[in-house]
Amino acid sequence: MRDRPLVAWFAVGCAGIAILPWYALADSIFSSGWLVRGFTGENAPLWWQAWAHGRAWLWPVAALLVACIAWPPRAGGSRRRQANALIVFAAAGFVFTLGQGFAIGPRGWSVDAAAAWFGPITTGQPGMGTGAAMALASFAMLFSLGLARRGAFKGDGFVAGSVVSVTLAVALFTFFPVVRILASAFEDTAGAWSAGAFAQRAFTGKIWGLGCLGGGTRCGVAWNTLALALACATACTALGLAFALIVTRSAFRYKRALRVLSVLPIITPPFVIGLGLILLFGRSGLVNQFLELAFGVVPTRWIYGFQGVLLAQVFAFTPIAFLVLIGVVEGVSPTMEEAAQTLRADRWATFTTVSLPLMRPGLANAFLISFIESIADFGNPIVLGGNFGVLSTEVFFSVVGAQLDQGRAATLGLILLGFALAAFFLQRRALGRRVYTALSGKGDAGLPTPLPDAARRACYAVALPWAALTIVIYAMALAGGFVETWGRDYTPTLRHYVKAFGVEWGAHGLLWTGAAWNSFWTTVRLSAIAAPLTAALGILAAWLITRQRFVGRSAFEFGTMLSFAIPGTVIGVSYILAFNVPPLEITGTAIILVVCNVFRNMPVGVRAGMASMSQIDASLDEASGTLGARGWTTLRTILLPLLRPAIVAALVYSFVRAMTTLSAVIFLVSAEYEWATTYIINRVVNGDYGVAIAYSSVLIVLMVVVIALIGWLVGERRLGRRGAAAPGRGVGQLGGSAA
């Protein structure tokens, strides 16, 4: 039992117990302040806290860690019996460490019954810190090693550790905060549990009413949300497929420009698309003014309502479908297409009977993600909804409105979860047990078949006008940053850019005088930290779901999608409730912003990875295992090079969504850690549209550069020979090539 992984994780736990501060510090662990001050207060490790500060309840943590490595060899008997001992002590250590943190707070016992059982205690404890986190990680990994030694996960320690790590992370940062707020849906005004209170909130005419079908003016917000999501998911999937086919399977000359345009909405703060649509199609927009002057058409407010929100959502979420679909389209085996043509199938028959069916996993995943994005969207409905209410805006008004009804917000969140759960299972049923393998260990020496003329013309007819409209909308919106006051004074100026991002040279060097620099650097730094973590966690979870078989795999898969189905406003409030008090007291820190972005955006990496892995023959994994490679070696050397499109999709999406997120972080930002989008919204509220648009344009330029850099760093995926002049040659995923 005393092998290297066991000793290594035991050493990690020892460092957390004997060296590092057990409790959270006022400043960063990377500062030297806690070392200079010595073992005082929260700076002390566990053993000093227990011995010198009277926190004797911490001693069992150290005892259980020592037992993990000392007891199993004494258990004797078979290797299985020793593994059982390791599992028991590691699980007990993890549960006890986490349990004592919840049971004892700053003022003593957090649970009244505990005082009666164990007696009062004279001192409390603050939130857990770095030492406690390392001890918990040590117990979790020792537990996974015990499972592997017992024969679980085919004895692969890396697979066992990955399943345990992802499960605990999702449970802690997704299930725990969501359950914390959703539990309030079943509480009455006095805080007591009541099913009647939930029924009273959930089954109302404002939520489920069908007045619009009987001649009334409005339907319930639940029906509005469902209709909008279905229309949005259908349109986004169709547009995303059209863009992906043009980029990968046509001879279109401006593929790179089209690729940039197709992803432009996703790298835009929520404010810009809504403003551009209003300036173009609003009552005083250019289109309405032109129609009135040219044809005498009376301007209307048609942009506000279902059609306006749908238009904005399709602009916003089509890039997500495109990012998911492009890797799937590239992964369709050219050899299969050539085989169909050898059997005298024309290009249309080949496309409809071979290529399109092999894209089915990507289409289903793109539809699912677009559907969930639509029901959870907050920014577009709040700007363009008018009298058209949806569940996400109702959640927001329940939390921050005059009613301040947390129970109602939680009830609406449960309804959203029901919609997401239904979409999840319908997607699984649609795919069924069919096999979509397109890449095998034999290699691929074919050339991709060009699109049939009819399909090519249809893609052009759908995608190119949409791209042109994208250019017009952005030109309208971003022009506001270069004029004094939009709508009144169109004098050209750079004043707004200087105000936001001014730089001066002073006596002590370069001075960042612009008002937006603090939020800008904070957003860039924390988004850069969150993006690789999100991508790594998403791809790892996708690999576990598609390549491993273990108990609870379906629940594991749904857990990775849970945060995607909850509106950002609910996520933000739930994080405040869950992490504003010990033992996990991280509200107001950079950690909570990084964690929120990682687990909010992880599902796209999961779905993109699953769509790509469904096309890679499992025989590659089996061949690697036959040659003696373990899970980590197979993942690193065989699968990751073939998953580059999915990796790029996860990296790009997680970075740009972290940069442009609003609803989830609006409750979590602080004076020290202000986010770019919250700064923009504050400028909009104050009527400073010029600075808001100038800031948005800077973010757009930055993210275009970052997308190109990510594509270049990740590189390309080679499936076989590709002629440079072949019309079907694909262009790299957002900057690299994936031929």
Side-chain angles (χ1 to χ4, degrees), residues 45-331:
L46 177 143
W47 65 273
W48 187 263
Q49 297 285 358
W51 181 50
H53 296 288
R55 297 184 171 105
W57 60 83
L58 295 177
W59 285 121
V61 177
L64 287 169
L65 180 64
V66 173
C68 285
I69 198 169
W71 186 266
R74 296 176 178 271
S78 65
R79 179 181 175 88
R80 186 184 182 91
R81 185 174 179 181
Q82 296 181 17
N84 289 338
L86 178 59
I87 291 172
V88 169
F89 285 113
F94 186 90
V95 172
F96 181 85
T97 303
L98 199 60
Q100 61 83 29
F102 279 99
I104 303 175
R107 298 181 180 179
W109 292 109
S110 300
V111 182
D112 295 335
W117 294 340
F118 302 105
I121 54 178
T122 58
T123 183
Q125 62 181 350
M128 293 182 174
T130 306
M134 293 186 68
L136 287 170
S138 174
F139 282 126
M141 291 301 98
L142 291 173
F143 175 78
S144 67
L145 289 175
L147 290 178
R149 283 160 175 73
R150 198 176 184 275
F153 307 103
K154 299 180 181 179
D156 194 321
F158 174 74
V159 175
S162 298
V163 172
V164 171
S165 299
V166 176
T167 300
L168 290 177
V170 171
L172 183 60
F173 295 113
T174 300
F175 275 97
F176 172 60
V178 168
V179 169
R180 184 73 180 267
I181 187 174
L182 294 185
S184 60
F186 295 89
E187 296 177 356
D188 57 20
T189 54
W193 286 84
S194 172
F198 170 77
Q200 186 177 3
R201 297 187 185 108
F203 301 104
T204 64
K206 189 170 184 179
I207 298 177
W208 298 104
L210 293 171
C212 59
L213 300 181
T217 57
R218 300 180 186 177
C219 274
V221 292
W223 298 118
N224 290 346
T225 303
L226 186 59
L228 179 66
L230 290 173
C232 175
T234 302
C236 288
T237 304
L239 271 169
L241 179 61
F243 278 115
L245 290 174
I246 291 174
V247 169
T248 60
R249 292 299 184 94
S250 77
F252 188 65
R253 296 180 59 185
Y254 305 104
K255 292 181 180 180
R256 292 186 180 274
L258 190 63
R259 186 187 290 272
V260 172
L261 286 177
S262 67
V263 300
L264 194 57
I266 202 174
I267 63 175
T268 303
F271 167 78
V272 175
I273 292 178
L275 176 63
L277 289 173
I278 291 173
L279 294 178
L280 195 60
F281 299 112
R283 186 177 180 86
S284 300
L286 291 185
V287 172
N288 277 335
Q289 290 180 354
F290 170 77
L291 292 176
E292 183 178 23
L293 292 175
F295 305 104
V297 178
V298 178
T300 64
R301 295 173 57 86
W302 71 269
I303 193 65
Y304 298 98
F306 174 84
Q307 57 277 359
V309 178
L310 176 61
L311 187 62
Q313 285 190 346
V314 174
F315 266 109
F317 306 142
T318 293
I320 305 172
F322 171 73
L323 289 174
V324 171
L325 285 167
I326 189 168
V328 176
V329 173
E330 291 171 342

Side-chain angles (χ1 to χ4, degrees), residues 412-436:
L412 296 173
L414 278 177
I415 296 173
L416 282 177
L417 267 182
F419 285 165
L421 183 62
F424 173 79
F425 284 109
L426 286 175
Q427 184 242 22
R428 288 177 63 90
R429 186 176 181 84
L431 291 179
R433 297 182 178 274
R434 296 181 179 90
V435 178
Y436 301 94

Side-chain angles (χ1 to χ4, degrees), residues 494-506 509-522 674 679 683 688 691 694-695 698:
L494 293 176
R495 178 174 61 87
H496 305 303
Y497 286 89
V498 174
K499 181 179 179 180
F501 297 103
V503 178
E504 296 180 3
W505 187 266
L510 197 64
L511 299 177
W512 307 90
T513 58
W517 281 119
N518 179 51
S519 64
F520 177 81
W521 291 123
T522 297
E674 186 178 17
Y679 182 92
R683 301 287 74 73
D688 197 354
V691 171
Y695 200 156
V698 170

Side-chain angles (χ1 to χ4, degrees), residues 420-503:
L421 183 62
F424 173 79
F425 284 109
L426 286 175
Q427 184 242 22
R428 288 177 63 90
R429 186 176 181 84
L431 291 179
R433 297 182 178 274
R434 296 181 179 90
V435 178
Y436 301 94
T437 300
L439 304 181
S440 68
K442 298 179 180 179
D444 187 354
L447 294 173
T449 303
L451 280 177
D453 292 338
R456 177 175 50 81
R457 286 193 292 268
C459 290
Y460 284 171
V462 170
L464 297 185
W466 190 261
L469 185 59
T470 301
I471 295 174
V472 174
I473 289 176
Y474 276 89
M476 288 294 303
L478 299 182
F482 295 95
V483 298
E484 283 288 345
T485 306
W486 187 267
R488 294 197 301 267
D489 185 359
Y490 292 97
T491 304
T493 182
L494 293 176
R495 178 174 61 87
H496 305 303
Y497 286 89
V498 174
K499 181 179 179 180
F501 297 103
V503 178

Side-chain angles (χ1 to χ4, degrees), residues 513-566:
T513 58
W517 281 119
N518 179 51
S519 64
F520 177 81
W521 291 123
T522 297
T523 306
V524 171
R525 183 175 69 253
L526 298 185
S527 297
I529 294 173
L533 294 176
T534 306
L537 196 60
I539 297 298
L540 180 61
W543 176 65
L544 294 174
I545 293 168
T546 57
R547 287 299 199 261
Q548 306 301 322
R549 297 292 180 267
F550 52 91
V551 177
R553 187 167 61 95
S554 295
F556 179 90
E557 181 180 357
F558 177 71
T560 62
M561 293 294 294
L562 180 63
S563 63
F564 221 43
I566 303 294

